[in-house]
Structure formats: C-alpha cells, structure tokens
Amino acid sequence: MNIRTFPKKLKIKLIIAIPSSILENCQDLRSKTEKIGIIARTCAIFKVEEIYIYPHYFKTKNSIRKNNLEFITTIFNYLECPPYLRKRKFPISPFLKFSGLLPPLKIAHHILKNKFENLESGETREGLVIESNDKFSKIDIGFNQKFYLDIPNLKIDRRITIFLKIQNSKMKISMIDPKNLKYYWGYKVYIKDLKHILDYFKDFCIIITSKYGKNIMKNKTKLINKILQVSKLLIVFGAPFEGLLPIFEKKKIKIQNNNFFNLNMIPHQGTETITTEEAIISSLSILNFLYWDSIQ
C-alpha cells in the first residue's frame, strides 16, 4: 500500500473576506477570470479554508451586480472542484469560457489516481450524489464504476467526502466529514453581509487590512500572540476603488474589540494603490512567515 501524504492543515482555520466589487477594474471576461484564478490559487497555497464574499458596489450598474457575484462564486467553486467531477457539477456556461487558461490548484483531492484498478484501501476522495432513494445513494467518484452508500435520500448533485476501504475483497465507501481530516482539503465559498461576517468572527482574531492601519512589523508580536490563542483568523480586504475604512463608515460599522487588528500589511508601498489580489498575496505571505516562525 502506498497512500499519498498531503500537506497538513494549519492549527488555526484561515479565512478571508473580499468584496463583490473586486471585478470593477476589470475590462473583460478574460481579465475577470484571471483575477479570480489568482486569488483562488493564492488561497490554496496558503491553506485558506473559507472565502467570504460580501456584497459591495462602488460604481457597478445594478444590471450586472448580481451577474458579477454569481461569476465570482462560480469560478472559485469550479477551480476548487475535483477535475473528475466538473462535467457533472458545472454545466456549460459563458462564465467558464476562459477557465481553461487558469492554473490548476492541485490540492489534495485533485492529485489522485485516475485508474480504478489503482485504487487502494485507505484513500479519501470527493464524490457526487447522482441517485438516491429510500434505501441507498449512488455516488460518482470519477470512474465508470459507481459506488453505493447505505445512506438514503441524499440530495442529488451534493458533493460529499468519502473514504475507501476493502471489505471481503471488495472496495467499499463510507461518507466522512472533511473537517476531521488532518490535511488541507480545499476551501468553501460563502456570500454574507460584511456586518454579519464581522459579528460572527468577533470572538476570534480579525485583521482589517488598510493603507492607514498600523505597521504590521511593529505589531507582529501582539498579533501572533493573539493568533496562537484562537482557533480562527479572519482577514478582511477592501475594494479596488474604496478601502475598508470608508466602507465601514458607510455601513456604520465600528471596531471596538481587542480581537480586531487594523493593519497596514504592506508598509512603505512604492505604488499609489495595491489591487485586491496583490493585497491578498502579500498579506497571506507575511502571515504565513510570521505564523510558522512563531511555532518553530
């Protein structure tokens, strides 16, 4: 048996929140696709487990606001989905026209055996419910051979995580909770109001990224000490044409909690502005270094 090993999860759950207006400075579908692809790839590299998209509009017309939000979630979810399930999970859509240009995430449930005869007991895969009745459910795990679960009435088209095990010389599957896996298994995407997101994570650690925030390097010790005390870290990013502080002011959001850190993650920047994807890459890189340096 040669079960592949995967990168372990972080001890803390890493979460980011981005605005739906991140596409407002994109000129066409290709550039929109590439922007979301860069963010998705960055999240996978640094083991982000949840991506929240909060509705925010600066100059987008009402007619395309919903369209942009649907596009963002579609590209994020398409890239995170195992390649062997995409044809079933994602019908042909104009949103996916340039998805083939994006680099693959190559996360744990992507890099798997593609031949049925090579499957081994002890492997974990993603599956898709394709049939379900009062007795059992039929699951597609990427092969012509279909597997059955003794779990009735599962929702059709639902993605599930399954564990393979040989019993009586036959390969059997069982459904497991990916939260219990010890290695990074991709991210989930949610759409929530910014106030709701901040309120939900207020008892953990929240970083508000801002050009006018405190210098990260002068506050790293306090930040790391807090991160090591909690189980979740949320990093909130602003929009292309409007930073978080003006957004907070418009939404009447007040930060009065010791768990909030208003930080400039790129002090002494050499450009007038920094794009959202650049801010995400830079912030996660810095936090990755500080986190691993602190637990050595």
Side-chain angles (χ1 to χ4, degrees), residues 41 44 79 83 86 99 101-107 110:
R41 176 77 177 167
L79 287 173
R86 286 176 182 168
S99 60
L101 299 176
L102 300 177
L105 299 190
K106 292 189 176 182
I107 50 183
H110 287 200

Side-chain angles (χ1 to χ4, degrees), residues 29 33 66-68 70-71 74-75 93-99:
L29 183 63
T33 304
K66 184 178 179 181
N67 188 66
N68 274 352
E70 184 180 353
F71 174 83
T74 297
I75 298 298
S93 166
F95 289 163
L96 300 173
K97 181 177 180 180
F98 295 105
S99 60

Side-chain angles (χ1 to χ4, degrees), residues 211-212 240 269-275 278:
K211 180 179 179 179
Y212 304 103
Q269 66 190 58
T271 57
E272 180 182 2
T273 58
I274 292 173
T275 65
E278 290 168 344

